[in-house]
Structures are given as C-alpha cells and as structure tokens.
C-alpha cells in the first residue's frame, strides 16, 4: 500500500501492502483485509488440514484481517481467545462461537450462556472480542439434513425443525433472546428455505439484529426473500468442491455425501442478493480440501472468472462480515 493507502503490485506481480509483500497467485490480492468466518481447524474429532495456530499464521501471511473458528463438536470460543492472546502480534482478529449440535449440548440456553461468557475475565486483560460472536443452529442435526441422509424415522424425529406455525420451542426462544441481548450473530444453520424465512422473522421479532443464513442450496427468489428481510446470506467454497463427493463424518459414525453446487449456480445466487448482504466463506479445514487460506483464494478467483464483480467479492469477504461480526477496526 503506498502513501495514499493504495495496494500496489511489485515487479513480479506480488502485492505490496505497508511494506509487506504477499503472494502473486491469482486472486491473492482479494485476501488482503479479508475475513473468513467459517474456518475448521484442529483440535477436532476428524482430520483437519491445520490447527488453530496454523490457521491464524497462514491468514496473517496472506494479509487477512480475521478468521472465525467453527466446530461441530465443541464451542470454538476458547480456542479463539487463546489464539488471540498468543498470536496477537500477527494482527489477525480471531473469533469463535458455538454450533448447537447434540455433542455440544443441543438447544441449550446454558451452553449459549457459557459460550457468550468464555474468555479471560480478568479485568483489563479481557479482550473486546472475548465471548461468542455467533450462535449457530445445527448444521447437520436438522430435519432437512436427516431426510437427505436417509436416516431412520426416530433419528429424523429427534432433529431440529422450525414449525410452520405456532410458537418456537421454549429453549430456542430463550436462545434467541440471549443472542439479541448480546447483539451477536444468529447463524440459521442448515434449514430449508421456508424454515429459514420463518426463523428470521421470529428472531427479528425477538430483537435479533444480526442474521447469517447459509444459502448455497436455495433458489434465487428465496435468497431475495431473505435479504429483503435484512438478513445476510452466506455462500461457501466447500459446496462447490470434491469434498461433497467424499463420505464424511459430521455428527456420528455414519459417513455421508452432500449434493454439490456448481459455480454457475452460486454466481446466480450471489447476483440475486444485494452486494452489501453477501458473505463468502471457505468452510475449509477438512483434510481433503486445501488449507483454509488457499481454499478461500481458489473460491474468490473462481467466482471472479465466473463473472462476479471484484467489488462484490471484496465486500463479501471484507466490510460485510467485518460489520456483521462487529470486528475491531484495524490499527
């Protein structure tokens, strides 16, 4: 970045920012200042390409601003707090949250309250980003996913489904109240589009202001309906990769594949949303995919080649997630 605050390219095509030189690989410049709010890292029950510290170090080497740690089997809030304390000199904000899968405690108010409180509660040393920055409904243990996986009737009945009418379950309503009170992000998890729309409406009625809806499988009109309500929509690299064709273990010993999404389809969905409400993420960390930083670079460059404007890409991995997750302003 020159004295006017502009990113410049060196003689070899490498990107130079503030005296630092970053990779010249295609799309690497889109990572500078980027936020990937969907990073899976070790320690974990399954194989991962990086551990938490490596994820932060690699993000710093790429010039990224922040990463958000996600884990289907435990809260990631403590890992994020530890990484911030040990690697703060790298300048990468690290935040965590909790996905309410059964292994974490399911739809538990106590689990959410604990996640919000985790950090280093020792007065002036408590970091502004301590505590959960997001609470996610299940991404695997939902009625929609269970039916897609061909689970038996008892298993399907045990999974989360948002009722078409009437009140929400008491525990979920109380969780929404906590999310609203602490002004953190509600990730709607892997629900159907109709369930997601109803959940967004009910959550907003309870005061939830920050909503992130995974929407890689939705139709353009469904994306438009969610963004018209004010929600952000998330599209992730994982769903356009070969990882969809590999049987993976998510919530128990069973391994399942998921339907892939084409880049062309994802490009249409991104175009259906206002640029200020799109969030792009890697959802990398699983061992069959590139490490999270490389996965995000491939994703952004592929979308650019498919016609997504670079200005949209920059917002979707920059200002949009930074504002949504209330990240600290870079020094």
């Amino acid at each position: 970045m020159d004295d006017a605050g502009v990113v410049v390219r060196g003689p070899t095509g490498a990107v130079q920012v503030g005296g630092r030189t970053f990779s010249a690989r295609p799309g690497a410049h889109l990572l500078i200042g980027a936020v990937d709010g969907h990073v899976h890292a070790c320690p974990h029950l399954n194989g991962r390409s990086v551990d938490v510290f490596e994820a932060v170090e690699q993000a710093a080497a790429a010039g990224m601003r922040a990463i958000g740690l996600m884990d289907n089997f435990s809260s990631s809030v403590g890992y994020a707090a530890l990484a911030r304390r040990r690697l703060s000199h790298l300048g990468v904000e690290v935040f965590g949250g909790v996905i309410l899968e059964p292994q974490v405690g399911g739809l538990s108010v106590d689990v959410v309250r604990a996640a919000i409180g985790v950090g280093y509660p020792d007065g002036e040393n408590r970091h502004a980003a301590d505590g959960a920055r997001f609470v996610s409904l299940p991404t695997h243990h939902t009625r929609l996913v269970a039916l897609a996986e061909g689970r038996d009737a008892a298993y399907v009945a045990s999974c989360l489904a948002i009722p078409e009418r009437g009140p929400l379950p008491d525990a979920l309503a109380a969780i929404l109240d906590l999310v609203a009170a602490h002004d953190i992000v509600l990730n709607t998890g892997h629900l159907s589009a109709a369930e997601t729309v109803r959940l967004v409406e009910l959550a907003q009625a309870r005061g939830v202001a920050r909503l992130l809806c995974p929407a890689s499988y939705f139709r353009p009109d469904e994306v438009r309906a969610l963004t018209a309500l004010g929600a952000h929509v998330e599209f992730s690299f994982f769903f356009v990769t070969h990882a969809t064709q590999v049987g993976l273990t998510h919530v128990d010993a069973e391994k399942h594949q998921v339907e892939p999404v084409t880049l062309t389809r994802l490009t249409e969905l991104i175009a259906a949303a206002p640029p200020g409400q799109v969030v792009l993420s890697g959802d990398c960390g699983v061992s069959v995919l590139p490490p999270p930083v490389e996965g995000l670079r491939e994703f952004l460059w592929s979308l650019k080649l498919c016609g997504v404007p670079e200005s949209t890409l920059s917002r979707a991995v920059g200002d949009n997630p930074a504002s949504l997750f209330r990240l600290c302003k870079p020094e």
Side-chain angles (χ1 to χ4, degrees):
M1 184 175 293
D2 63 15
D3 292 338
V6 179
V7 174
V8 298
R9 292 187 181 275
T12 64
V15 178
Q16 297 175 344
V17 181
R20 298 172 62 192
T21 301
F22 299 105
S23 171
R25 300 193 69 185
H29 65 289
L30 294 168
L31 296 176
I32 297 174
V35 177
D36 187 350
H38 200 145
V39 172
H40 293 276
C42 282
H44 197 270
L45 286 177
N46 300 324
R48 289 290 178 256
S49 60
V50 292
D51 64 31
V52 169
F53 290 163
E54 289 169 335
V56 177
E57 291 163 348
Q58 291 174 16
M64 292 177 62
R65 176 177 176 179
I67 62 171
L69 303 175
M70 299 193 79
D71 192 329
N72 292 311
F73 297 100
S74 66
S75 166
S76 63
V77 182
Y79 297 144
L82 178 62
R84 281 195 304 274
R85 174 166 283 201
R86 291 290 180 252
L87 299 176
S88 61
H89 61 284
L90 296 179
V92 176
E93 185 65 89
V94 189
F95 60 94
V98 62
I99 306 174
L100 300 176
E101 299 286 359
Q103 291 79 3
V104 186
L107 295 183
S108 167
V109 177
D110 289 338
V111 165
V112 173
R113 186 177 291 113
I116 290 171
V118 167
Y120 288 95
D122 48 359
E124 64 183 21
N125 291 326
R126 183 175 173 88
H127 194 282
D130 278 353
R133 283 302 173 101
F134 64 85
V135 171
S136 176
L137 296 192
T139 55
H140 296 286
H141 203 257
T142 65
R143 192 78 54 87
L144 177 76
V145 174
L147 290 170
E149 292 177 345
R151 302 281 190 156
D152 62 46
Y155 183 97
V156 171
S158 73
C159 293
L160 174 66
I162 304 300
E164 293 182 8
R165 58 185 64 84
L168 292 171
D170 290 344
L172 179 52
I175 288 168
L176 296 181
D177 291 343
L178 272 176
V179 169
H182 291 272
D183 193 26
I184 58 179
V185 173
L186 176 70
N187 185 310
T188 57
H190 290 179
L191 300 169
S192 70
E195 288 178 297
T196 303
V197 167
R198 183 153 202 266
L199 177 63
V200 166
E201 292 172 338
L202 293 172
Q204 289 176 329
R206 304 190 79 93
V208 177
R210 302 176 186 274
L211 290 133
L212 182 60
C213 306
S216 295
Y217 289 114
F218 294 173
R219 301 190 309 264
D221 63 299
E222 293 167 338
V223 167
R224 285 190 287 269
L226 285 167
T227 54
L229 291 171
H232 284 69
V233 285
E234 179 189 30
F235 306 106
S236 299
F237 180 55
F238 180 95
F239 296 106
V240 299
T241 72
H242 57 272
T244 60
Q245 302 170 53
V246 177
L248 298 173
T249 300
H250 295 294
V251 295
D252 55 20
E254 288 194 19
K255 295 184 177 182
H256 294 275
Q257 298 175 328
V258 298
E259 287 294 322
V261 180
T262 66
L263 282 165
T264 300
R265 177 66 169 174
L266 221 54
T267 299
E268 294 172 353
L269 295 177
I270 292 169
Q277 289 171 254
V278 176
V279 172
L280 298 176
S281 65
D283 194 3
C284 288
V286 65
S287 59
V288 299
L289 287 180
V293 169
E294 172 60 13
L296 185 61
R297 183 198 67 79
E298 289 185 21
F299 188 37
L300 297 174
W301 188 243
S302 297
L303 288 171
K304 176 180 170 61
L305 295 179
C306 288
V308 180
E310 191 164 311
S311 59
T312 297
L313 297 175
S314 295
R315 290 184 70 177
V317 291
D319 289 343
N320 293 351
S323 175
L324 184 67
F325 290 108
R326 292 188 295 115
L327 299 184
C328 300
K329 291 183 178 180
E331 298 179 359

